[in-house]
Amino acid sequence: MIRGKLSAQSAQKNRLALILAAVALVLAAVLLSLPVVQFTTSIYTKRSANTFVGDEKYIAAMAEAEAVLEQYADAGIGGSLKIDESVTERVNSKGETTSLVVLSVQHSVRRSGWDFLRSSLTPGRMMQALVLCAALAAVLAALGLRGGLDLPHRDLTGVPRGLRLAACWLSLAAVLLVPVFAMSVTKTFSRQVQLIVSGQEVAGAQLLLERIDHFLYNGAAGGQTAALVAGLRSGVTAQLWLLLPVLAVLLCAVILLYKGAIAPVIARGALYAFVIAASLLILYPFYVMFITAFRSNAETTDMYFLHMLPTKWVWSNLIDIMDRGVLRYLMNSIVLSFGATAIAMLCGIPAAYAMARMKFKGKNVFLGFVIMSQMFSPVVLLVGISQLMNTLHLNDTIVGLMLINAAFNQAFAIWLLRGTFISISPEMEQAAQIDGCTTVSALLRILLPMAAPGIVTTLIFVFINSWNEYTISTVLISTPSNKPITVGITQFSSFNMIEWQYLFAAALLATIPVVILFMCIEKHLAAGLTSGGVKG
C-alpha cells in the first residue's frame, strides 16, 4: 500500500517536471526568436557651426545627411536608418547668440538568438552551446524516465540516474551560458572592434570585419566596415535576460527528476554560487596586480583595459625592479617583520600567562592600560618616537623599527594570548606540577603546545601588521638601503608619472612572503581564531 502511494507520488512529480521542462523549452525558443541584442552605428556626423534651424547652412547640412542616408539605404544595408539632430545655442561675451547644429545618421539593427546561431561569430558559438545544452538536458531527462516514470528518485540506479544527473549539469551550463553570451557580445563588438579601430594588430582582424559586415550590414559595407564599426554600440535586450528565469525553470525541472525536491538543492547551489562570486570579487584585485606586473608600459596606461591578458609578457619587469633595490627592500621587510614578531611573542607570552593565571594587585589596571594603548595612533606619537630613537641612537635603523613595531603590537598579542590561556584548564598545569614540573617548565611543555593555535593566530596578525607598517618607516628611515618594501615601492610613483608595471611587480613580490607564511601555518589559524572564546 505504502509502496503504491510512493509510486503514485513519484509519477506525479515526474510528470510535473516533464511539463515544466517542455514549457521552459518552448518559452526559450520564443525568446530566442525575439531580438536579444541591439546594435547602433553612427555612420555619418555633420557639425555645422553658426547655423540656425531653417537657414541656408542648415538646409545644406541636412541635404548632405539625407544624401548619405539614401546612399546606405540604396546599398541594402538593412536595419533602420534615421537622422538625429542636436542643436546647441549659447550667448558669447559680446551678447551674440551662436548655434551649433549636429546631424548624425544612425543605423540601428536588432538580431535574434537564431540570427546569432546562424553566424560564425564567437557569440554565435556561445548561443549554439546554450541551445545545445538546453536541448540535450531535456532529451536526457526524458530518456532517464524510460521504464521508470513511477520510480522514486531514491531507487534510481545505473543509466537512468546517470542520465538525469547529466541533464542537471547541462541545464546548469545553459543557465550560465546566458551571461557568458552577453560577455562575448561585449568582447567581440566592443573590445576587439576597438582594438582594430585603434590600429593595433589583432589576429584575424580582416575575417572578423567581414563577418561583422555580413551579420550587421548584410555585406553592403565592404571596405567601409572598419569606419562603420568605429561608431558601433551594442546592448543586450530584456529578452536575453528573460532567458535566465526560463532556463532556471528547466534546471528546477531536471533537479526535481533527479532529487525529488528542489529547495534543498537550490539552497546549497546558491551557497556555492555566493562563495564562488565572493571569491572572484576578492581575487580580482590580485588578478589585476599579477597581469599588470608583466605588461608593457604602453598597455598599463590603457584606460579601456582592452586586453584581459598582456599581449606580450614582459618578464624583464622583475629584473628591472630588482636592479632598483626592491630585493633589498624585501629583505629589510622580512628581517623587520620576523624580528618584531619574535620580540612581541617573547614578551607577550609571559605577560599573557601572568594575566591569565596569576593574581596580583593592579592586574585589572594593567589590563585596562593594555586596552587603552590600542587607542593611540602611531601618527600621534611620531614626534616622541623620533626623539626616543635619536636618544637611543636607533634612528634610521632596522632594529629601531623592529622595536617600535613590536611595542605597538604588544597589547594586541597580550590580549589575544590571554584569552587563549584562559580557555585551557588550569588542571593541566597542576597535574604537570604534581609530576615534578616547575611553573616555567609546565608553561613550556604543557601550556604552549596546547595554546599553539592561538599563538599561531597572534603570530600571523603581528607579522602582517609589521609587514604593512608604513607611516613610522617613512618618517624614521632616510637611508635608501634601510627602507622596507612598503616605503621602497613608492619610488615607482611620483607626482607626474606612475610606473604601474613596476609598482605592481614590486607589490607582487611583496605578497609572496605573506602567502608562504599563511601556507605554512594555515591549519592552525582557524582553530586559533576561535580560541579564547571561554569566559575567564
Side-chain angles (χ1 to χ4, degrees):
M1 185 71 179
I2 297 176
R3 182 72 178 178
K5 186 177 180 180
L6 289 175
S7 298
Q9 291 177 349
S10 299
Q12 185 178 3
K13 282 185 179 181
N14 291 339
R15 290 192 186 95
L16 175 62
L18 283 177
I19 293 173
L20 287 175
V23 171
L25 284 179
V26 172
L27 289 176
V30 172
L31 289 174
L32 289 177
S33 64
L34 299 174
V36 294
V37 182
Q38 178 172 340
F39 299 92
T40 304
T41 309
S42 180
I43 59 179
Y44 173 82
T45 300
K46 174 68 176 180
R47 291 179 174 83
S48 183
N50 298 321
T51 301
F52 295 88
V53 177
D55 64 8
E56 294 182 358
K57 294 182 67 175
Y58 173 82
I59 295 173
M62 181 62 73
E64 290 182 21
E66 290 175 347
V68 172
L69 186 147
E70 292 176 1
Q71 174 187 349
Y72 280 98
D74 294 339
I77 195 172
S80 172
L81 287 165
K82 66 175 183 177
I83 299 176
D84 285 344
E85 178 181 320
S86 173
V87 180
T88 304
E89 293 186 355
R90 67 187 185 94
V91 179
N92 60 22
S93 58
K94 298 180 180 180
E96 300 172 343
T97 302
T98 60
S99 176
L100 173 66
V101 175
V102 180
L103 301 175
S104 177
V105 179
Q106 301 287 332
H107 172 259
S108 299
V109 63
R110 294 184 173 188
R111 291 291 180 255
S112 67
W114 304 120
D115 293 328
F116 278 98
L117 278 174
R118 292 189 293 267
S119 74
S120 54
L121 295 166
T122 301
R125 290 193 288 271
M126 296 296 104
M127 184 60 71
Q128 291 169 7
L130 188 156
V131 172
L132 183 62
C133 287
L136 279 177
V139 171
L140 292 180
L143 291 176
L145 289 172
R146 292 187 61 185
L149 184 63
D150 58 347
L151 188 66
H153 71 280
R154 296 183 183 87
D155 299 334
L156 286 175
T157 57
V159 176
R161 182 180 179 85
L163 290 175
R164 297 187 193 186
L165 177 60
C168 290
W169 285 111
L170 286 170
S171 55
L172 177 61
V175 173
L176 296 178
L177 280 169
V178 174
V180 171
F181 168 78
M183 288 188 292
S184 67
V185 169
T186 301
K187 179 182 178 182
T188 301
F189 295 98
S190 180
R191 291 185 180 276
Q192 291 185 325
V193 164
Q194 287 183 13
L195 287 174
I196 294 172
V197 172
S198 62
Q200 300 188 43
E201 294 185 5
V202 178
Q206 189 59 39
L207 179 60
L208 177 61
L209 289 177
E210 291 176 2
R211 290 175 176 175
I212 291 177
D213 181 17
H214 287 285
F215 183 70
L216 294 181
Y217 311 120
N218 298 327
Q224 297 181 343
T225 305
L228 288 178
V229 296
L232 179 65
R233 301 185 303 276
S234 63
V236 296
T237 63
Q239 288 85 338
L240 176 67
W241 299 120
L242 286 176
L243 274 175
L244 281 174
V246 169
L247 294 175
V249 171
L250 175 63
L251 176 61
C252 292
V254 294
I255 289 175
L256 185 61
L257 288 174
Y258 180 64
K259 285 291 188 180
I262 298 174
V265 178
I266 296 298
R268 191 172 184 84
L271 177 61
Y272 279 115
F274 172 77
V275 171
I276 293 172
S279 300
L280 292 176
L281 187 65
I282 293 170
L283 292 175
Y284 180 73
F286 294 94
Y287 159 76
V288 174
M289 177 181 68
F290 177 78
I291 64 170
T292 307
F294 301 103
R295 289 182 184 272
S296 63
N297 183 54
E299 286 187 12
T300 58
T301 55
D302 177 14
M303 295 177 58
Y304 299 100
F305 205 54
L306 298 177
H307 297 282
M308 297 301 292
L309 293 173
T311 55
K312 182 180 179 181
W313 292 81
V314 185
W315 303 102
S316 60
N317 287 343
L318 295 177
I319 300 174
D320 293 341
I321 63 172
M322 290 180 184
D323 291 339
R324 293 171 65 172
V326 168
L327 199 58
R328 175 66 181 177
Y329 304 147
L330 195 62
M331 292 304 300
N332 290 340
S333 287
I334 292 174
V335 172
L336 165 64
S337 301
F338 276 106
T341 303
I343 295 172
M345 299 303 292
L346 287 174
C347 297
I349 289 175
Y353 177 79
M355 294 297 102
R357 291 289 189 262
M358 299 180 180
K359 294 181 180 180
F360 54 89
K361 291 183 179 180
K363 177 180 176 181
N364 293 331
V365 175
F366 180 77
L367 284 175
F369 174 76
V370 168
I371 297 175
M372 287 179 58
S373 65
Q374 294 293 93
M375 301 171 58
F376 295 99
S377 171
V379 178
V380 179
L381 306 175
L382 271 177
V383 176
I385 290 172
S386 180
Q387 291 178 350
L388 177 63
M389 290 296 104
N390 282 329
T391 303
L392 297 176
H393 303 288
L394 292 176
N395 203 7
D396 197 18
T397 62
I398 298 296
V399 175
L401 284 180
M402 201 180 295
L403 294 173
I404 294 171
N405 279 278
F408 274 107
N409 287 288
Q410 193 67 77
F412 174 81
I414 292 174
W415 193 259
L416 192 59
L417 289 171
R418 174 181 175 272
T420 301
F421 290 147
I422 288 176
S423 66
I424 300 174
S425 174
E427 296 176 357
M428 304 296 295
E429 298 164 78
Q430 294 171 4
Q433 290 174 356
I434 292 174
D435 290 338
C437 289
T438 63
T439 301
V440 176
S441 61
L443 171 64
L444 296 176
R445 296 181 180 181
I446 305 299
L447 198 60
L448 291 187
M450 296 184 67
I455 293 173
V456 167
T457 304
T458 307
L459 184 148
I460 190 68
F461 277 105
V462 172
F463 181 89
I464 291 175
N465 287 338
S466 301
W467 185 269
N468 292 333
E469 198 284 317
Y470 173 77
T471 306
I472 296 176
S473 302
T474 304
V475 175
L476 295 185
I477 300 298
S478 57
T479 304
S481 60
N482 290 338
K483 291 180 179 179
I485 189 67
T486 51
V487 178
I489 63 175
T490 57
Q491 66 173 301
F492 304 119
S493 175
S494 60
F495 290 105
N496 56 357
M497 183 180 67
I498 300 177
E499 297 174 288
W500 291 108
Q501 72 279 18
Y502 296 147
L503 188 63
F504 280 108
L508 181 64
L509 288 180
T511 60
I512 294 176
V514 179
V515 171
I516 293 174
L517 183 63
F518 262 102
M519 290 174 63
C520 294
I521 63 177
E522 61 87 19
K523 62 181 180 180
H524 301 288
L525 189 59
L529 288 172
T530 57
S531 67
V534 179
K535 183 177 179 180

